[in-house]
Amino acid sequence: MRHIALLKEPMLQEPVESTNLALHKTYKISVPPESDYPDLGGELTDGIYGTTDFMEASWQGHSGKVDRKVIIDLETPSTIAAIKANFLEDIGSSIFAPDMLGISVSIDGENWSEVAVLDRLPACGSEAKLVSFHWSAAEHGVPDGAPVGSTIYARYVKIHAIVNVWLFMDEIEVWGVAGKQAGAVELMPGKDQGPETDYLRAGEATGGIRDLMLFYNGQYPNDAGNWSAAQFLPYVAYVDQQGAVQEWLFDGGVFLALYSDKMRSFMEDPGAEPSRMEDWQWYLNKTFYEQSGDAAQLNEAVKQAKAAIGEHGYKMKVVFMIPFPSSQQMEFGDVDGDGVSENFCDPQSGQAARERAIQWYISELNAKWEQAQYAHLELVGFYWLQEAANPDDLALLDFTSNLTRSQGAKLFWIPYFNAASYYKWNKLGIDAMAYQPNHYFNAGTTADRIEEAARMAKLAGSGIEIELDERAFQQPALRQKYIDYLQGTIAAGITPDVFKAYYQGVRTFYQAAYDADPRNRQLYDWIYDYVRGHLI
């Protein structure tokens, strides 16, 4: 695949009498735009250019469904010298121009050849802006060994862009001359989709974890976030209906929390006050408190399972969350002992303050881990709690990745469906990502959502998340959604060695494991079968 970095605005060097061959030509889009921002008829080739106002009729808006492919029919094989595509970026409105654009051509509309993959220029600021991608034969050359300055001979042009929350596109231009000029080359059919992609497999990148269970241990009513060894046991190992340990189940667990005892949020939540240093300290103390802390209780559960199974060298792999230092927090606390509370809002020093907070937290966690000396657990990494990677937070994420990697730890992430920057997770310093389908939480989705999410995960090269909660005991529609996950992911080629995360509310599988109702117990038995790669 030819990646071309647009280091400067290329000069379009068209042949004599070159015209925009795409003007008023017909095209097909792989997925139609959203009804609020429709294609009113030929918008992409009508010669009318949108401004920075996304409400203008010249823009068409797309959301979801992974990517968009636009195929333009030039009506006759032509000499193509340059191709240009125009997009809008308005970060405040969650409209993102693609990070790269794939361009392919074809003579017959069936056999395609890749021309180039264009990387966009870095952009500063969050103000609305126009983003254009240009390919020029004279500037960039043509594949297949044709000399620089040659042109391409084709009838159909395809552009391919990834959707990141919202994608707004406008004019696509194809500059050249109808018919074949001297020097025009017909490209050999071949790959036009970029590199082959696959799901993320358990291995070095995942710290060896294949099935990662989410253990929520924050503040909940009735102290539901406080765990005991007995509650951990049916996660560590599969237990039969009498509660006897049979064999290992989830090989990894991530400790995470949404709220502290003061009900301040550990992630960006507009409806809650952002967490402070005292909240982060509360969480560490709760998780690592002597023999009764949540980590110690998991350690005890693994010890008990090892005694029953007889595999005495086994250790369960664990991951710990990194709370998100919200840029709205002005009084976080003094993490470096200089007598000044960290202000994450400060435009000059806020970024450095957020970095100090994360560095302090990881240092404190490592110290508590070393002191605890858990004999049956292995610390393999940290979890980036914020479920989207917005532009303002990318520098902080990069800092965190460098920090964790310097300690030999992995950085995990589980973004929500179509979250900002989900598809470029491995370029953000994330080591392992599981993608959320969010089918369980959306009454308007059908089983097709699992197929779509699996396709998005495969295209991104990530794993996937399985989702349910205790409502599945009482609501048949949610029980069916759970079944959709188990059946749909296997149908999509997600095998046991693919990295997976599991959301289950707080303790749904524990409740199911010991429920006297066989239908409720089924929820637990099914996940055991699923982890083993068996269809339910």
Side-chain angles (χ1 to χ4, degrees), residues 281-438:
Q281 189 70 69
W282 169 85
Y283 180 73
L284 290 172
N285 291 340
K286 175 190 183 305
T287 303
F288 292 99
Y289 185 72
E290 299 179 351
Q291 296 306 308
S292 62
D294 302 310
Q297 291 299 301
L298 178 59
N299 185 64
E300 175 62 25
V302 178
K303 177 183 176 181
Q304 294 175 16
K306 287 167 68 173
I309 296 172
E311 192 175 334
H312 299 291
Y314 178 83
K315 288 187 177 184
M316 187 175 186
K317 297 174 173 61
V318 293
V319 176
F320 293 95
M321 77 158 185
I322 298 175
F324 184 70
S326 171
S327 59
Q328 305 304 308
Q329 180 57 262
M330 302 176 65
E331 290 287 344
F332 179 76
D334 179 14
V335 300
D336 54 5
D338 64 355
V340 179
S341 179
E342 312 299 338
N343 178 4
F344 300 157
C345 286
D346 189 286
Q348 280 75 44
S349 61
Q351 174 68 19
R354 298 169 84 191
E355 293 175 358
R356 286 195 297 273
I358 288 178
Q359 192 164 19
W360 166 82
Y361 173 84
I362 291 178
S363 177
E364 288 286 301
L365 190 151
N366 284 335
K368 290 182 179 296
W369 175 265
E370 289 299 322
Q371 183 178 1
Q373 291 293 303
Y374 300 119
H376 311 291
L377 303 178
E378 177 188 356
L379 173 59
V380 299
F382 298 91
Y383 172 61
W384 185 255
L385 185 64
Q386 189 69 4
E387 294 182 353
N390 294 311
D392 291 346
D393 301 320
L394 297 185
L396 182 65
L397 183 51
D398 182 66
F399 168 84
T400 304
S401 171
N402 290 330
L403 179 61
T404 55
R405 287 180 174 177
S406 71
Q407 301 177 10
K410 305 300 180 185
L411 188 60
F412 295 77
W413 190 37
I414 310 176
Y416 56 77
F417 186 81
N418 210 29
S421 302
Y422 82 88
Y423 61 91
K424 57 178 180 179
W425 59 274
N426 49 2
K427 294 183 178 181
L428 304 179
I430 301 293
D431 294 291
M433 187 269 266
Y435 188 59
Q436 297 182 33
N438 295 152

Side-chain angles (χ1 to χ4, degrees), residues 4 73 123 135 137 261 377 389 397 461 501 506:
I4 299 173
D73 181 2
W135 169 83
D261 60 335
L377 303 178
L397 183 51
V506 182

Side-chain angles (χ1 to χ4, degrees), residues 185-335:
V185 292
E186 180 179 342
L187 303 184
M188 292 293 294
K191 182 178 62 177
D192 77 304
Q193 299 298 330
E196 293 295 325
T197 58
D198 194 9
Y199 300 112
L200 175 64
R201 310 282 168 173
E204 194 275 334
T206 70
I209 296 175
R210 187 180 69 177
D211 298 288
L212 181 68
M213 174 54 64
L214 276 62
F215 294 131
Y216 283 87
N217 67 323
Q219 182 65 36
Y220 287 93
N222 303 317
D223 294 326
N226 297 339
W227 287 75
S228 68
Q231 292 166 335
F232 277 125
L233 188 60
Y235 297 91
V236 174
Y238 175 70
V239 299
D240 63 20
Q241 294 181 2
Q242 289 70 46
V245 169
Q246 301 299 304
E247 58 180 307
W248 300 116
L249 187 49
F250 298 104
D251 60 351
V254 53
F255 286 97
L256 70 164
L258 301 181
Y259 300 98
S260 73
D261 60 335
K262 301 291 195 302
M263 295 310 296
R264 290 192 280 256
S265 178
F266 288 117
M267 59 194 305
E268 202 75 86
D269 181 354
E273 181 184 349
S275 56
R276 301 177 181 177
M277 180 180 176
E278 64 175 316
D279 302 303
W280 295 21
Q281 189 70 69
W282 169 85
Y283 180 73
L284 290 172
N285 291 340
K286 175 190 183 305
T287 303
F288 292 99
Y289 185 72
E290 299 179 351
Q291 296 306 308
S292 62
D294 302 310
Q297 291 299 301
L298 178 59
N299 185 64
E300 175 62 25
V302 178
K303 177 183 176 181
Q304 294 175 16
K306 287 167 68 173
I309 296 172
E311 192 175 334
H312 299 291
Y314 178 83
K315 288 187 177 184
M316 187 175 186
K317 297 174 173 61
V318 293
V319 176
F320 293 95
M321 77 158 185
I322 298 175
F324 184 70
S326 171
S327 59
Q328 305 304 308
Q329 180 57 262
M330 302 176 65
E331 290 287 344
F332 179 76
D334 179 14
V335 300

Side-chain angles (χ1 to χ4, degrees), residues 134-175:
H134 302 258
W135 169 83
S136 166
E139 183 86 14
H140 303 116
V142 211
D144 291 342
V148 173
S150 295
T151 51
I152 289 175
Y153 185 63
R155 171 175 171 175
Y156 299 89
V157 174
K158 179 196 296 183
I159 67 164
H160 180 201
I162 301 295
V163 178
N164 184 11
V165 189
W166 279 98
L167 177 77
F168 273 62
M169 66 174 98
D170 183 21
E171 206 67 13
I172 300 172
E173 306 164 47
V174 180
W175 288 87

Side-chain angles (χ1 to χ4, degrees), residues 493-529:
I494 295 178
T495 51
D497 62 332
V498 171
F499 174 63
K500 293 176 284 292
Y502 298 80
Y503 171 87
Q504 45 102 51
V506 182
R507 272 192 287 274
T508 300
F509 287 132
Y510 166 75
Q511 297 174 46
Y514 297 106
D515 200 303
D517 185 338
R519 279 182 55 81
N520 291 342
R521 164 75 191 196
Q522 247 181 346
L523 302 182
Y524 180 69
D525 290 335
W526 283 345
I527 204 65
Y528 165 74
D529 289 336

